[in-house]
Amino acid sequence: MQKYLVGTLDVGAFGAMVDRRTVIGNLAKKFGRVPVFAYNGYHYGEPYDYDYTLEDSGQPTAYLSYTEQEDKTVFFDFNYYWNTNTEEFIKLKKKRNWVQDGETLSSYKLKPEYQEVVSKTMERFPQIPESIAIHIRRGDKIVEAPYIPMQEYLDACLDAREKCGSNLVYINSDCNEVIDEAINKLEKLDFKCFFDEEEKRFGFGDPNDPNNNSNWEMTKSNPETREQEALTGIKIIYTIAKSKYIVAGDNVQLGKIATKLNSYYRHLEGKVDNGYTLLYPPVEKV
């Protein structure tokens, strides 16, 4: 008998919900089930075609108990998972493996229109696989934590050049001004930079401006942007993942998810070293 694990995609940022799919997929595999996703306030475009839906699984008859269960369909309660801090759950949440996460995410098939955006971007920028990809998040991220200073990205690129031998930098950001700043400073360090000029960006880098963009709020208020922002998010994740080395913020989902896919790809190639550097925001606001 096929067994199912149903999890919800809730109100929240696009990257967080991509990561939620990974958590649910990992737990489904661990307990001999397949993942099924239900929508509970999720308002972005859906990038994946799934093998199973609620029509296959039916409604859950029990909660996931984190043990073997006879029930055909059980429910993953994310709030319980996230907020339970027993020793067992702390270990479960910390014991995430980058290769396993990447493998789980790669098992979800992108819808044709999403795969097309990724493929066309790779065709437009054939140098991506030989580049150092950086993802610099600005915009409303200041609400959660201080921005990671530009100098840390520059230092990480210098270190990455020593490790992988690449002089190319593929720049990704939600802020056009930050891209200009990165190009100006990286070129002074003898890097060659490129970025997707066609991408629509809505963030900007002023942490003191109350109108600084909240992507989630924008898509909530403007339904016409929801599909486009999902397409952009997938393009960023899946093209960065194909680069030679990644520099991204540990507290930023799109870049961090890309490092997991990249780790899985490197694993398939027999590489055992990490192809990424994760940066952390400063403790105090700058």
Side-chain angles (χ1 to χ4, degrees), residues 144-250:
E144 299 175 18
Y147 291 149
I148 298 171
M150 179 63 72
Q151 188 59 49
E152 294 200 22
Y153 289 95
L154 302 178
D155 292 342
C157 284
L158 289 168
D159 183 62
R161 180 162 63 186
E162 290 294 318
K163 291 177 179 177
C164 73
S166 177
N167 207 44
L168 295 170
V169 179
Y170 172 37
I171 302 175
N172 291 264
S173 178
D174 55 349
C175 174
N176 285 313
E177 290 83 356
V178 165
I179 291 176
D180 291 341
E181 179 188 359
I183 291 173
N184 180 54
K185 292 181 176 180
L186 284 165
E187 287 183 344
K188 290 179 180 178
L189 297 172
D190 296 323
F191 285 100
K192 296 180 180 179
C193 304
F194 65 99
F195 68 101
D196 186 356
E197 296 183 20
E198 296 180 6
E199 181 182 320
K200 293 182 179 179
R201 298 176 177 86
F202 300 96
F204 47 92
D206 184 356
N208 299 311
D209 191 328
N211 296 312
N212 210 351
N213 170 61
S214 166
N215 185 274
W216 178 78
E217 289 289 351
M218 179 189 71
T219 54
K220 182 181 177 182
S221 304
N222 300 277
E224 69 277 5
T225 66
R226 296 173 184 177
E227 190 73 26
Q228 179 58 52
E229 285 302 282
L231 285 163
T232 298
I234 289 296
K235 181 206 73 169
I236 290 170
I237 291 170
Y238 283 79
T239 59
I240 287 179
K242 288 291 186 179
S243 64
K244 198 169 189 178
Y245 199 93
I246 301 172
V247 176
D250 179 76

Side-chain angles (χ1 to χ4, degrees), residues 20-247:
R20 176 82 61 87
R21 292 171 175 89
T22 305
V23 171
I24 294 169
N26 285 344
L27 289 170
K29 185 176 181 180
K30 179 179 177 66
F31 295 105
R33 298 176 178 274
V34 294
V36 172
F37 300 98
Y39 301 97
N40 182 36
Y42 177 81
H43 65 253
Y44 288 94
E46 174 55 71
Y48 299 105
D49 277 327
Y50 301 110
D51 293 331
Y52 300 95
T53 68
L54 281 171
E55 292 184 5
D56 301 301
S57 67
Q59 292 299 317
T61 57
Y63 285 97
L64 177 67
S65 65
Y66 299 88
T67 61
E68 299 298 329
Q69 294 169 266
E70 292 300 320
D71 302 79
K72 172 186 172 184
T73 305
V74 297
F75 179 71
F76 168 68
D77 185 338
F78 179 78
N79 287 329
Y80 178 79
Y81 166 86
W82 190 252
N83 295 317
T84 301
N85 290 314
T86 62
E87 183 177 350
E88 177 186 4
F89 267 82
I90 290 173
K91 288 181 180 178
L92 179 66
K93 287 182 279 192
K94 286 186 175 181
K95 197 180 177 181
R96 294 187 64 176
N97 178 284
W98 255 228
V99 172
Q100 181 187 50
D101 279 9
E103 180 179 15
T104 295
L105 189 58
S106 70
S107 71
Y108 300 140
K109 182 180 179 182
L110 288 173
K111 287 182 176 179
E113 61 269 32
Y114 286 82
Q115 183 59 60
E116 181 180 20
V117 168
V118 174
S119 298
K120 285 189 174 180
T121 304
M122 295 299 296
E123 290 172 4
R124 287 170 51 223
F125 302 104
Q127 66 270 48
I128 286 176
E130 296 303 317
S131 72
I132 300 165
I134 64 173
H135 183 253
I136 307 174
R137 179 75 159 85
R138 290 296 187 251
D140 64 311
K141 199 65 180 177
I142 193 67
V143 175
E144 299 175 18
Y147 291 149
I148 298 171
M150 179 63 72
Q151 188 59 49
E152 294 200 22
Y153 289 95
L154 302 178
D155 292 342
C157 284
L158 289 168
D159 183 62
R161 180 162 63 186
E162 290 294 318
K163 291 177 179 177
C164 73
S166 177
N167 207 44
L168 295 170
V169 179
Y170 172 37
I171 302 175
N172 291 264
S173 178
D174 55 349
C175 174
N176 285 313
E177 290 83 356
V178 165
I179 291 176
D180 291 341
E181 179 188 359
I183 291 173
N184 180 54
K185 292 181 176 180
L186 284 165
E187 287 183 344
K188 290 179 180 178
L189 297 172
D190 296 323
F191 285 100
K192 296 180 180 179
C193 304
F194 65 99
F195 68 101
D196 186 356
E197 296 183 20
E198 296 180 6
E199 181 182 320
K200 293 182 179 179
R201 298 176 177 86
F202 300 96
F204 47 92
D206 184 356
N208 299 311
D209 191 328
N211 296 312
N212 210 351
N213 170 61
S214 166
N215 185 274
W216 178 78
E217 289 289 351
M218 179 189 71
T219 54
K220 182 181 177 182
S221 304
N222 300 277
E224 69 277 5
T225 66
R226 296 173 184 177
E227 190 73 26
Q228 179 58 52
E229 285 302 282
L231 285 163
T232 298
I234 289 296
K235 181 206 73 169
I236 290 170
I237 291 170
Y238 283 79
T239 59
I240 287 179
K242 288 291 186 179
S243 64
K244 198 169 189 178
Y245 199 93
I246 301 172
V247 176

